Amino acid sequence: MKKILATIAISFSALMASTALTAAPQFEPQSDAEAVQPHLQKKRDKRDIYEPEHHSREQRGMKRLQHMKWQTGYVMPQHYRSDGYKVEYKDNNLPKPARNQQWYKINNNYILLNSETNSIVKIQ
């Protein structure tokens, strides 16, 4: 009887061990990030695939804005309303702006902008 119980116990433990081995992953992760969050790696791969297309679209948009013809009364695109385009009128020999007006330099043009309505007042 002891031999039968020992044989059953050994068979059962061998069965459990083989089940545990087959349930283990069949690959080893290349980095800790993949081991912890493998779904993030998939998103990174998709972003790498689509990034060149997005980059070229952004470049086309910038070229279109660079060739834009400025006219008084037009509303200046928000992209150009940052501090990087603002200039001081004294440094560039420009007329003093009125209240709520600011000079901007865009594509070698000096543009006087109404700060409240963002419309172009004057171009030099």
Side-chain angles (χ1 to χ4, degrees), residues 5-62:
L5 288 177
T7 307
I8 292 174
I10 291 172
S11 301
F12 184 71
S13 62
L15 178 67
M16 294 302 286
S18 66
T19 305
L21 289 176
T22 57
Q26 301 299 318
F27 65 94
E28 291 189 22
Q30 296 174 355
S31 68
D32 293 337
E34 289 180 23
V36 176
Q37 299 172 340
H39 63 282
L40 292 180
Q41 182 63 30
K42 290 178 185 175
K43 289 181 181 178
R44 266 190 233 117
D45 290 343
K46 288 179 183 177
R47 186 176 61 224
D48 291 341
I49 292 170
Y50 295 113
E51 193 171 71
E53 179 183 324
H54 174 72
H55 185 66
S56 63
R57 183 174 23 152
E58 184 177 291
Q59 284 178 340
R60 286 193 308 266
M62 289 300 295

Side-chain angles (χ1 to χ4, degrees), residues 44-116:
R44 266 190 233 117
D45 290 343
K46 288 179 183 177
R47 186 176 61 224
D48 291 341
I49 292 170
Y50 295 113
E51 193 171 71
E53 179 183 324
H54 174 72
H55 185 66
S56 63
R57 183 174 23 152
E58 184 177 291
Q59 284 178 340
R60 286 193 308 266
M62 289 300 295
K63 285 181 183 177
R64 187 172 49 246
L65 286 173
Q66 288 173 349
H67 297 294
M68 186 172 192
K69 302 295 180 198
W70 302 105
Q71 292 184 5
T72 56
Y74 280 15
V75 175
M76 187 186 304
Q78 186 174 1
H79 172 76
Y80 288 115
R81 293 185 229 152
S82 66
D83 291 337
Y85 293 99
K86 288 182 180 180
V87 294
E88 290 296 323
Y89 72 97
K90 292 177 185 177
D91 298 338
N92 297 293
N93 298 325
L94 298 168
K96 183 177 180 179
R99 178 182 238 176
N100 297 324
Q101 291 181 346
Q102 175 65 47
W103 283 103
Y104 291 83
K105 183 176 182 182
I106 303 168
N107 302 335
N108 295 324
N109 293 322
Y110 291 99
I111 299 174
L112 184 61
L113 187 75
N114 183 336
S115 301
E116 292 177 344

